[in-house]
């Protein structure tokens, strides 16, 4: 039942009618029924918002963290997003009984020690830790992580569909742990188990990572954001769903990495305006030049809730076609969630409260 009225363009995101701003109003993320609306004003041109449903931004790198559980910033019944700092090697091990964890390394390097062995990691690495794994971070310097916790089903790779199984990232880029060579196993060892947000401390008279061998298809693994291969079209801007990296129940995680900009004259080079019905959108800005957003720097998190428009900041559309601008130069991690997310007190303490006015 496709319909069209008034001033439109033949191909969405290309040759937008002069004096209009294109908005994509769609369902089911970017997969469901969709219409494009050609507005006479940018849909983000509000003068004020009264009420809680508004774009929010947080200085995640300024959050005070403790040595234990990651500090949660945003949460719903399916997923939490938080940050954690780790320094040196703690005298205890951790285990999360509530969910699978995804640790994204924003800063630092080291070794993740697990039941399954050790995984070396550095800046830009995603570390997938299945629920119930016993682990410990041994950090060479101060590490800062974005931590996503999947409370429902396990984290898994996306279906590649028409793209083929070697797209997005090749199975060969996935790193798995190497068995630990224990030099010392006597003494008392502590494992801190997190369940429903509470800590239980279990003590052993032997090293808890004492595995001599293992087999199976459940284990921690690592993937570098630098090995993620973005999908793009030189002719028309593709939706962010082409960057899906991991899938959980009620959410997806996407990676934004540098890529060539669209080349066809008239093609829109920045994300289209949309009111992201069906998914809340969270971005963690990791590195580079976030050219579609003003005043956003590495280490910040933005939240765009269901129902309120977002899109490029006013200068970005012009800047995207400036001479010599041929590539994006940004690394970011996106979390899209089915259920609305709620900011915690820890997040509110580092909120940039005027963010929702930053399109004016
Ligand atoms: Fe978006």
């Amino acid at each position: 039942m496709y319909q069209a009225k008034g001033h439109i363009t033949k191909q969405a995101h290309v040759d937008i009618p002069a004096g209009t701003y294109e908005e994509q109003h769609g369902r089911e993320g970017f997969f469901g029924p969709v219409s494009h609306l050609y507005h006479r004003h940018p849909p983000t041109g509000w003068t004020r918002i009264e009420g809680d449903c508004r774009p929010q931004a947080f200085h995640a790198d300024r959050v005070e963290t403790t040595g234990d559980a990651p500090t949660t910033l945003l949460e719903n019944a399916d997923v939490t997003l938080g940050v954690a700092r780790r320094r040196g090697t703690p005298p205890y091990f951790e285990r999360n009984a509530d969910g699978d964890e995804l640790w994204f390394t924003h800063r630092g390097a080291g070794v993740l020690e697990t039941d399954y062995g050790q995984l070396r990691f550095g800046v830009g690495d995603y570390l997938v830790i299945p629920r119930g794994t016993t682990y410990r971070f041994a950090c060479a310097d101060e590490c800062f992580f974005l931590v996503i916790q999947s409370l429902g089903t396990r984290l898994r790779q996306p279906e590649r569909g028409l793209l083929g199984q070697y797209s997005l990232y090749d199975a060969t880029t996935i790193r798995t742990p190497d068995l630990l060579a224990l030099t010392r196993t006597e003494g008392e060892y502590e494992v801190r188990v997190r369940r429903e947000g509470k800590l239980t401390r279990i003590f052993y008279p032997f090293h808890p990572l004492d595995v001599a061998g293992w087999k199976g298809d459940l284990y921690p693994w690592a993937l570098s954001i630098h090995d993620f291969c973005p999908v793009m079209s030189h002719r028309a801007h593709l939706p962010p769903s082409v960057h899906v990296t991991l899938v959980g129940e009620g959410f997806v995680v996407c990676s934004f990495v540098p890529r060539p900009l669209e080349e066809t004259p008239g093609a829109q080079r920045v994300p289209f305006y949309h009111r992201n019905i069906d998914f809340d959108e969270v971005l963690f800005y990791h590195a580079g030049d976030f050219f579609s957003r003003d005043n956003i720097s590495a280490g910040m998190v933005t939240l765009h809730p269901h129902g309120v428009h977002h899109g490029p900041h006013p200068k970005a559309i012009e800047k995207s076609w400036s001479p010599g601008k041929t590539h994006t130069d940004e690394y970011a991690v996106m979390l899209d969630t089915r259920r609305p997310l709620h900011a915690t007190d820890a997040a509110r303490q580092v909120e940039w409260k005027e963010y929702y006015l930053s399109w004016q």
Side-chain angles (χ1 to χ4, degrees):
M1 295 199 299
Y2 176 85
Q3 303 281 305
K5 319 262 171 168
H7 297 287
I8 58 162
T9 183
K10 194 170 69 173
Q11 170 62 51
H13 319 321
V14 180
D15 294 331
I16 294 162
T20 70
Y21 298 86
E22 185 190 61
E23 181 207 348
Q24 181 161 317
H25 179 205
R27 298 295 311 274
E28 320 293 335
F30 301 98
F31 304 109
V34 61
S35 282
H36 294 95
L37 294 88
Y38 298 89
H39 290 272
R40 293 186 175 88
H41 301 95
T44 48
W46 49 72
T47 52
R48 63 178 188 276
I49 297 178
E50 294 176 358
D52 293 338
C53 186
R54 62 177 68 192
Q56 289 180 281
F58 307 96
H59 292 280
D61 52 347
R62 296 183 195 166
V63 172
E64 285 191 27
T65 51
T66 65
D68 292 328
T71 304
T72 301
L73 303 180
L74 300 169
E75 59 189 356
N76 68 22
D78 299 318
V79 61
T80 65
L81 177 136
V83 292
R85 286 187 187 81
R86 292 286 187 270
R87 184 189 280 279
T89 306
Y92 57 87
F93 298 84
E94 309 178 51
R95 183 187 303 153
N96 184 349
D98 290 328
D100 281 13
E101 290 180 342
L102 176 66
W103 291 62
F104 175 74
T105 317
H106 178 55
R107 267 200 311 271
V111 176
L112 171 64
E113 300 173 354
T114 77
D115 300 294
Y116 292 83
Q118 57 180 6
L119 267 170
R120 292 195 177 281
F121 67 87
V123 171
D125 275 342
Y126 287 108
L127 302 165
V128 179
I129 306 177
R131 180 194 300 218
T133 304
T134 306
Y135 65 88
R136 171 167 77 175
F137 281 97
C139 295
D141 38 17
E142 194 193 73
C143 294
F144 185 90
F145 300 96
L146 179 78
V147 187
I148 292 169
Q149 179 185 218
S150 172
L151 300 168
T153 56
R154 68 186 173 86
L155 276 167
R156 59 187 197 279
Q157 294 188 45
E159 295 293 336
R160 307 303 208 275
L162 295 174
L163 295 173
Q165 62 170 314
Y166 303 114
S167 60
L168 306 177
Y169 49 95
D170 193 315
T172 317
T173 62
I174 288 173
R175 286 131 52 206
T176 56
D178 295 318
L179 282 180
L180 284 163
L182 295 182
T183 51
R184 196 178 75 93
T185 58
E186 72 281 4
E188 187 184 61
Y189 295 88
E190 178 185 347
V191 177
R192 296 185 178 178
V193 180
R194 295 198 300 272
R195 182 165 172 267
E196 295 186 309
K198 287 201 188 101
L199 216 61
T200 298
R201 302 165 66 189
I202 306 177
F203 298 87
Y204 297 89
F206 52 84
H207 197 294
L209 308 183
D210 64 347
V211 171
W214 61 269
K215 65 184 190 67
D217 59 3
L218 181 71
Y219 44 82
W221 53 278
L223 171 74
S224 173
I225 198 169
H226 301 282
D227 285 329
F228 187 81
C229 301
V231 176
M232 56 95 52
S233 161
H234 63 293
R235 296 188 59 186
H237 194 87
L238 295 180
S241 42
V242 297
H243 306 302
V244 171
T245 311
L246 286 159
V247 180
E249 188 175 313
F251 70 92
V252 296
V253 177
C254 302
S255 302
F256 292 93
V257 302
R259 62 169 178 85
L261 285 164
E262 292 74 10
E263 287 171 0
T264 302
Q268 184 143 334
R269 288 180 148 187
V270 287
F272 39 81
Y273 292 100
H274 65 120
R275 58 188 89 172
N276 47 300
I277 287 300
D278 297 327
F279 281 89
D280 270 13
E281 283 190 22
V282 181
L283 266 172
F284 174 74
Y285 302 87
H286 169 53
D289 171 25
F290 312 109
F291 83 104
S292 68
R293 295 256 186 283
D294 292 339
N295 302 312
I296 291 289
S297 51
M300 289 181 78
V301 163
T302 56
L303 165 64
H304 292 110
H306 296 47
V308 179
H309 288 99
H310 68 278
H313 276 122
K315 278 181 280 176
I317 301 175
E318 228 176 283
K319 249 171 42 187
S320 72
W321 279 99
S322 58
K325 182 84 187 152
T326 58
H327 284 67
T328 66
D329 175 31
E330 59 187 10
Y331 288 92
V333 177
M334 184 166 85
L335 170 70
D336 274 18
T337 70
R338 274 264 176 211
R339 294 182 212 245
L341 286 162
H342 303 286
T344 61
D345 288 343
R348 276 192 219 98
Q349 281 171 19
V350 292
E351 185 174 359
W352 168 24
K353 294 217 160 53
E354 289 73 40
Y355 174 62
Y356 76 103
L357 291 171
S358 60
W359 285 266
Q360 275 56 46

